[in-house]
Amino acid sequence: MQGLNAGGVFISTPRPLQVGASLRLLFSIYEGEIRAQAIVRDCLKGEGMGVEFVSMENEDWQRLLLFLERLSGSFERVW
């Protein structure tokens, strides 16, 4: 996994899903678990796929923002 931001993530995989495919994601981080529904928006054959978060519970969203804030040290809270 690389390229994580509040809108989505790039997932390195030798066999990415097709553009438009939907998937459920689960991240286990220090702040807790983050569950999200996502859609593949970009695909690089043999390299990976860019997915957009399309649905997330409020608690998961807050954990994601806290995680991004911890990583960057400067992510602005929006709640």
Side-chain angles (χ1 to χ4, degrees):
M1 180 179 65
Q2 59 187 10
L4 176 66
N5 63 48
V9 63
F10 183 84
I11 301 171
S12 295
T13 177
R15 295 184 301 203
L17 300 174
Q18 294 181 6
V19 171
S22 63
L23 59 155
R24 292 189 298 177
L25 301 174
L26 171 64
F27 302 98
S28 183
I29 59 172
Y30 178 80
E31 289 80 1
E33 290 185 344
I34 298 171
R35 296 176 188 273
Q37 291 289 120
I39 294 180
V40 177
R41 296 296 186 195
D42 190 25
C43 177
L44 298 173
K45 188 175 181 179
E47 293 184 39
M49 58 190 168
V51 302
E52 176 187 8
F53 301 137
V54 294
S55 178
M56 195 180 305
E57 295 291 330
N58 188 50
E59 296 83 16
D60 295 302
W61 176 249
Q62 290 180 6
R63 279 190 286 276
L64 175 61
L65 294 178
L66 285 172
F67 178 65
L68 292 171
E69 181 178 19
R70 180 167 56 86
L71 290 180
S72 70
S74 63
F75 197 80
E76 183 176 330
R77 286 192 183 148
V78 292
W79 70 89

